[in-house]
Amino acid sequence: MTPPETASCPVHQNFDPLGDSYVADPYPIHSAVRDETPAFYAPSIDMWVVTRYDDIQKILMNPGAFSAQVGQRPVFPLSGDAQAIIKDGFRAYPVMSDCDPPRHTRIRRHNQKGFSARRISVLEPKVWAKATELVDAIEPGEVDLVSALTYPLPAYMIFTFIGFPDEDMDMLKSWCGNRIAFSWGRPSPDEQRDIANNMVNYWAYCEEFVAKRAANPVDDFTSDLIRIHQQDPDALSIADITNVAYGLSFAGHETTTSFTGNAIRQLLANPEQWKALCADRSLVPQAVEEMLRFDSSIPAWRRITTQAVNVDGVDIPAEAKVLLLLGAANRDPGHFAEPETFDIQREDARAHLAFGKGIHYCIGAPLARMEARIALDLLAQRAPHMKLIDGQDFDFPANISFRGPRSLRVRWPN
Ligand code: HEM
């Protein structure tokens, strides 16, 4: 869909979220486009891009005009091979993040119970225990905190929460591979085929796992959903539950790995803030909010219009794909004072849109916050003198929505 270039529809030929400079650091580009226009068309991705806090907030609160259905669709057409693999073995359908009411309302209502603050707080001792075990295993010297801590902690927690057995974790992790590239990046045909095969394996695993829980429910989140199904099969079907298990294991995993990686990097790159945090660990919850505002792991998310709309003077047609720059909203000077300053004591940081807003507000936010809080608290206690390894290049996967360093090398003190 290519719009005519008119006064009410600016076109930004150079905006490319898969370009090297954007992938390395999207924030200067966010700031430039946000200052220039509230919305524009980007031919590189065939999407309208919305840049400002108030507009993005209004869109998130208007699911009737802005459908979530496009959230997980591949940005670029898939190869014939990948399409055939998916068609044969991948039976997932939208249940939450890419689903609209009324199905979304029905499924979310039942899932919400499992993510209440009370249910999540029960997990807190387990997160502490796992984080402590991982940190205890770190040897003095150079260490990659992604592989040592920020990858295994959320993976272990979400898999345990869903109920996947410990012994399957390595296999599950190996299937997660480059999944982000499939729906949000531009993988080569070979990569598409590999990812599609992994998705089929993962899906088959989820079907088998949910069938096992249906036959023999235990004490985990999936079994809670099975009990709801057993009481009222119309409330949640077995297929709905399989989709939830598949979707959650992905949503609850790399989002938090990437966020904690960004957070630790920002803190260590701002040593006075890290020092303040280590001196007073009661600042950690507030600091987590500022890190979500300043450098979250989902700096952009998608919608598709169901009707022609006008965003702050810019006309957007019906069935237009829309990219919401959450990261640009979180640094909008119209909303946050001195938005480019990273300040862990910022009082209004929690007004960020890092978890979205409205009916799709991130269901895992309490778990993500808790994991990040515990990881930072533990690092501040155990390694207040750790430092980033100088001169390292941070490598970020090229895609339109997810951002986090693949590795984060630090000098771990004696
Ligand atoms: C720091 C980590 C995380 C960030 C930045 C994040 C961010 C987001 C964002 C931006 C959305 C989309 C909101 C929208 O479409 O309006 C979302 C939705 C969602 N997130 Fe998260 N998320 C994180 C962690 C998690 C975790 C740990 C889980 C699961 C345990 C999770 C599960 C979900 C689900 C299921 C949805 C869809 C909710 C719905 O559509 O009703 N997320 N998240």
Side-chain angles (χ1 to χ4, degrees):
M1 185 185 284
T2 311
E5 183 157 4
T6 66
S8 78
C9 179
V11 174
H12 212 310
Q13 295 291 349
N14 297 328
F15 182 86
D16 178 8
L18 294 168
D20 291 346
S21 54
Y22 187 101
V23 171
D25 184 0
Y27 294 107
I29 299 172
H30 281 185
S31 158
V33 293
R34 187 189 52 229
D35 290 351
E36 217 174 278
T37 170
F40 59 89
Y41 175 75
S44 66
I45 45 172
D46 181 27
M47 288 183 209
W48 274 255
V49 181
V50 182
T51 64
R52 296 183 186 162
Y53 187 102
D54 289 345
D55 296 320
I56 292 179
Q57 180 169 238
K58 277 187 210 145
I59 291 172
L60 293 171
M61 298 303 285
N62 186 357
F66 294 89
S67 159
Q69 278 183 23
V70 75
Q72 315 244 355
R73 273 186 214 156
V75 179
F76 302 101
L78 294 177
S79 68
D81 270 4
Q83 284 184 35
I85 296 168
I86 292 291
K87 193 161 173 273
D88 274 358
F90 188 67
R91 284 171 287 279
Y93 57 77
V95 283
M96 267 197 283
S97 72
D98 52 350
C99 186
D100 292 329
R103 190 199 290 160
H104 172 268
T105 319
R106 171 175 63 82
I107 291 181
R108 170 132 183 166
R109 187 172 57 236
H110 296 298
N111 280 275
Q112 189 75 60
K113 292 175 201 150
F115 283 92
S116 67
R118 194 184 58 77
R119 289 293 292 272
I120 293 298
S121 68
V122 171
L123 290 177
E124 184 151 352
K126 289 190 184 163
V127 180
W128 271 109
K130 186 68 189 175
T132 306
E133 176 197 318
L134 292 165
V135 165
D136 282 349
I138 298 177
E139 305 275 352
E142 190 178 317
V143 58
D144 169 23
L145 281 185
V146 173
S147 50
L149 177 65
T150 66
Y151 185 82
L153 180 64
Y156 173 82
M157 287 318 302
I158 192 67
F159 293 160
T160 306
F161 177 76
I162 293 170
F164 294 156
D166 273 8
E167 59 272 22
D168 293 348
M169 299 237 172
D170 288 341
M171 179 181 72
L172 290 168
K173 284 192 213 161
S174 75
W175 289 336
C176 294
N178 206 7
R179 164 88 176 87
I180 284 176
F182 197 79
S183 295
W184 294 274
R186 191 173 1 218
S188 69
D190 283 352
E191 286 169 321
Q192 288 178 35
R193 200 190 43 240
D194 290 349
I195 304 167
N197 278 322
N198 284 339
M199 286 164 66
V200 166
N201 288 335
Y202 208 124
W203 176 256
Y205 176 91
C206 289
E207 282 188 328
E208 202 179 307
F209 168 74
V210 171
K212 260 192 226 153
R213 285 294 186 269
N216 184 17
V218 295
D219 181 18
D220 57 26
F221 178 69
T222 307
S223 303
D224 289 350
L225 298 181
I226 293 286
R227 285 185 197 98
I228 294 171
H229 165 77
Q230 287 171 341
Q231 276 174 12
D232 177 5
D234 290 339
L236 273 182
S237 68
I238 292 293
D240 291 338
I241 299 171
T242 308
N243 274 283
V244 167
Y246 178 83
L248 271 187
S249 63
F250 178 64
H253 177 183
E254 294 194 31
T255 48
T256 314
T257 295
S258 296
F259 169 59
T260 348
N262 291 337
I264 298 167
R265 179 187 171 202
Q266 288 299 345
L267 282 167
L268 297 184
N270 290 274
E272 73 300 342
Q273 304 269 324
W274 175 238
K275 210 169 153 197
L277 192 77
C278 294
D280 178 2
R281 298 199 325 275
S282 71
L283 293 174
V284 168
Q286 180 71 21
V288 167
E289 299 309 316
E290 175 65 347
M291 292 178 277
L292 283 161
R293 183 194 73 83
F294 195 76
D295 200 359
S296 167
S297 48
I298 305 196
W301 200 244
R302 279 178 284 173
R303 291 289 191 263
I304 186 163
T305 55
T306 59
Q307 60 196 65
V309 290
N310 184 281
V311 173
D312 220 342
V314 175
D315 286 327
I316 303 183
E319 290 181 40
K321 288 168 279 170
V322 179
L323 187 67
L324 308 174
L325 295 187
L326 303 174
N330 287 339
R331 295 187 186 199
D332 184 341
H335 203 87
F336 295 101
E338 297 190 41
E340 300 295 337
T341 304
F342 176 62
D343 174 6
I344 60 167
Q345 300 193 54
R346 181 185 291 273
E347 282 180 2
D348 62 349
R350 208 179 158 99
H352 61 72
L353 297 176
F355 290 125
K357 189 144 195 157
I359 64 166
H360 291 282
Y361 182 82
C362 176
I363 204 168
L367 181 59
R369 284 186 162 114
M370 182 174 72
E371 288 175 357
R373 190 166 47 71
I374 289 173
L376 291 173
D377 198 324
L378 197 57
L379 290 173
Q381 285 179 52
R382 294 293 190 85
H385 302 299
M386 75 174 167
K387 297 222 167 5
L388 281 179
I389 300 287
D390 283 340
Q392 64 183 296
D393 282 332
F394 293 101
D395 181 23
F396 294 90
N399 72 88
I400 64 162
S401 281
F402 294 89
R403 176 174 164 78
R406 285 192 215 266
S407 67
L408 181 68
R409 286 161 42 230
V410 302
R411 171 94 34 218
W412 192 261
N414 283 311

